Amino acid sequence: MVLLALAGGAYLAALETSMFAVRTIRVDGASPQVAAQVRHALDPLVGKSLLKIGGTDVQRRLAGLVTIAAAESNRDFPHTLRVHVQVEKPLAVLRQGSAAWLVSADGRVLRALPHPRLSSLSRVWLPASASVTPEAVLADPRGLEAVTALRTLVREPIGPSIRDVRTGESEFTLMLRSGLEVRLGDVSDLRLKLAVTRKILPQLSPPGYLDVSVPERPVAETNSQVGG
């Protein structure tokens, strides 16, 4: 019992004193710039006991960083908090006139992109009326649909890479780097439309278009014989 009491007392002392206070936060898995952002967000934890810091404390403080997709923390006694982060990767470039932003697979606007022409990512063109706020989920519903469709295309590619995605009132068009347009109409029955596209594309010679807005009756206008 005496030993238990001593152990309990030592634990309480470790909780309330600087015995295991955080002095250093080490971040890996990120660039120096992003690591600095992570350390800044976790700075309020410096001086707190490692025994009092849990994974939820770290995740809660990093929730506001759109560049971070996930984080895992470990205590490195006596004074170091180690944090491994998974960086949010951009899926596409949002374009609105000459302005451009990187957007993640879940629709979060990561940051402005000063030189969009240097990026090889697919471009999603937004109307002038669309509101774009960095570090927030894209508010434009059609733009968000385009991002969702691109996420599907990453998992289930149609073959040729996509240069542009154009959205409108009744338009959802993929502009392939080969010069061919794929007209989807809207994003309803998307997987069916993409399956039809995947089957027909090898028969087509760009430039031209493939309209699968009614997937049961695809229409193509290129140098091939596919039509409807």
Side-chain angles (χ1 to χ4, degrees), residues 181-193:
E181 293 184 19
V182 178
R183 302 174 183 175
L184 300 171
D186 56 34
V187 293
S188 63
D189 299 320
L190 181 61
R191 281 192 165 81
L192 174 59
K193 292 175 181 178

Side-chain angles (χ1 to χ4, degrees), residues 84-140:
H84 177 78
V85 297
Q86 180 181 334
V87 178
E88 189 76 82
K89 295 181 179 179
L91 173 72
V93 176
L94 299 176
R95 292 299 307 267
Q96 189 180 57
S98 60
W101 303 265
L102 290 173
V103 65
S104 70
D106 61 1
R108 291 195 293 172
V109 182
L110 300 177
R111 60 179 174 84
L113 186 63
H115 306 289
R117 292 184 180 181
L118 299 180
S119 175
S120 61
L121 295 172
S122 302
R123 299 174 295 193
V124 176
W125 290 89
L126 302 175
S129 59
S131 175
V132 181
T133 304
E135 302 187 4
V137 174
L138 181 62
D140 181 69

Side-chain angles (χ1 to χ4, degrees), residues 47-199:
K48 292 184 179 295
S49 173
L50 282 170
L51 296 173
K52 284 187 172 182
I53 298 173
T56 55
D57 299 309
V58 172
Q59 291 169 8
R60 185 174 64 252
R61 292 186 181 278
L62 296 182
L65 295 181
V66 297
T67 51
I68 302 302
E72 180 180 338
S73 61
N74 292 285
R75 304 179 183 108
D76 187 358
F77 292 99
H79 301 295
T80 300
L81 177 65
R82 294 187 178 273
V83 182
H84 177 78
V85 297
Q86 180 181 334
V87 178
E88 189 76 82
K89 295 181 179 179
L91 173 72
V93 176
L94 299 176
R95 292 299 307 267
Q96 189 180 57
S98 60
W101 303 265
L102 290 173
V103 65
S104 70
D106 61 1
R108 291 195 293 172
V109 182
L110 300 177
R111 60 179 174 84
L113 186 63
H115 306 289
R117 292 184 180 181
L118 299 180
S119 175
S120 61
L121 295 172
S122 302
R123 299 174 295 193
V124 176
W125 290 89
L126 302 175
S129 59
S131 175
V132 181
T133 304
E135 302 187 4
V137 174
L138 181 62
D140 181 69
R142 291 188 180 87
L144 198 55
E145 285 180 346
V147 171
T148 302
L150 280 175
R151 186 173 64 212
T152 301
L153 283 160
V154 168
R155 295 194 302 265
E156 305 171 29
I158 58 175
S161 59
I162 298 165
R163 186 187 68 207
D164 297 285
V165 181
R166 297 189 179 275
T167 63
E169 195 67 35
S170 58
E171 173 197 15
F172 187 74
T173 302
L174 307 177
M175 306 290 295
L176 307 185
R177 296 190 189 277
S178 64
L180 190 77
E181 293 184 19
V182 178
R183 302 174 183 175
L184 300 171
D186 56 34
V187 293
S188 63
D189 299 320
L190 181 61
R191 281 192 165 81
L192 174 59
K193 292 175 181 178
L194 294 179
V196 173
T197 298
R198 199 175 295 113
K199 184 175 181 179

